[in-house]
Amino acid sequence: MYSGKVRDLYVPDDTAADAAASRLLVVASDRVSAFDHVLEPGIPGKGAVLTQLSLWWFDRLAGGDGGRGIPNHLTGDEPPAAVADRAMVVAALDMQPIECVVRGYLTGSGWAEYQQSGTVCGIPIVAGLTNGDRLPEPIFTPAYKAPLGEHDENITFERTVELVGVENAETLRALSLEVYGRAAAAAEERGLILADTKFEFGLDADGVMTLADEVLTPDSSRYWDAAAWRTGETPAERMASFDKQIVRDWLSAHWDGAGEPPTLPGEVVERASARYRELLVTLGA
Ligand code: ATP
Ligand code: MG
């Protein structure tokens, strides 16, 4: 029914119409995107890594590591065998049009804004921080989920309230900060920094705010090697990161952004593929 840059959504047609309408099959492909372009070729095994990581985190967050259970969109149904290792059967939710971003560290667009104005997404941040520094406390910096083809847009908490109502906005913020806190602590035990991440939530049939989409994957999060991190010394760009930085770096060096992006060389594809798998092993997922 829908093909995103990375994932394809299917509605099952093998069950009664009512039941089918309430479930979706989300299939993660090996496609990789950078700077909003889908690149050629894909990264072997990437779809499986994204799916396994999401399933592992959903399970932990549902109660596995002691905190209160975070409801998620998994139905418990087995996906079809042909896509077993890279698909999830989920409840079709009333998705909130908000990308729920939580940042624990100063980097990327947050660092750029901080240098200009001393704020991150409009939130004032203590002066004197440098690229890659830990923020005094994690912050919720929502973005409006733009319709297909448009860029997501950073918004204030007040704008979030206007879009989804005060109750939903406060629930989204509280859940996002809680999930980030628990995930960052779990990652730290494995020698990883969870610098920032993005969640999506939707309301289930009973009106319960439910964690959806993919969670805490290298596509939705920045994971860094904690051993390589030094406050004020190591710029974020040079940190060992477990996301698609390898692909972004190669593309920035070999493409000026005009026309179609060049084909990724085999060596870059192999390094990226290994890096995705390494995160799974490092986390013990
Ligand atoms: P992009 O290509 O920029 O990533 P996208 O996020 O829309 O766009 P994908 O991530 O490939 O594309 O596709 C996943 C889509 O499925 C998202 O639109 C997401 O909001 C939606 N989605 C995830 N979980 C659910 C759910 N439980 N119910 C309904 N929609 C969902
Ligand atoms: Mg997406």
Side-chain angles (χ1 to χ4, degrees), residues 2 4-7 99 145 152 198 200 213-214 219-220:
Y2 173 77
K5 282 196 286 285
V6 171
R7 276 158 308 156
E99 304 265 11
K145 207 170 146 51
D152 296 341
K198 179 216 83 173
E200 287 186 42
D213 208 50
E214 60 176 349
D219 275 13
S220 67

Side-chain angles (χ1 to χ4, degrees), residues 1-57:
M1 63 171 279
Y2 173 77
S3 188
K5 282 196 286 285
V6 171
R7 276 158 308 156
D8 303 308
L9 264 55
Y10 297 82
V11 184
D13 62 2
D14 58 344
T15 44
D18 280 2
S22 65
R23 286 187 308 154
L24 296 171
L25 179 69
V26 182
V27 181
S29 72
D30 287 348
R31 295 190 290 271
V32 63
S33 70
F35 310 116
D36 278 337
H37 284 261
V38 175
L39 307 174
E40 291 292 339
I43 308 293
K46 176 173 178 280
V49 169
L50 295 189
T51 302
Q52 284 177 53
L53 266 175
S54 289
L55 292 173
W56 184 77
W57 279 116

Side-chain angles (χ1 to χ4, degrees), residues 52 69 94 175 181 227 231 249 254:
Q52 284 177 53
D94 174 14
L175 282 171
T231 180
D249 287 351
H254 295 87

Side-chain angles (χ1 to χ4, degrees), residues 230-250:
R230 300 276 184 283
T231 180
E233 285 176 24
T234 318
E237 284 75 16
R238 266 188 273 134
M239 282 178 204
S241 80
F242 288 84
D243 55 31
K244 56 191 174 192
Q245 200 63 39
I246 292 169
V247 172
R248 282 195 212 102
D249 287 351
W250 184 86

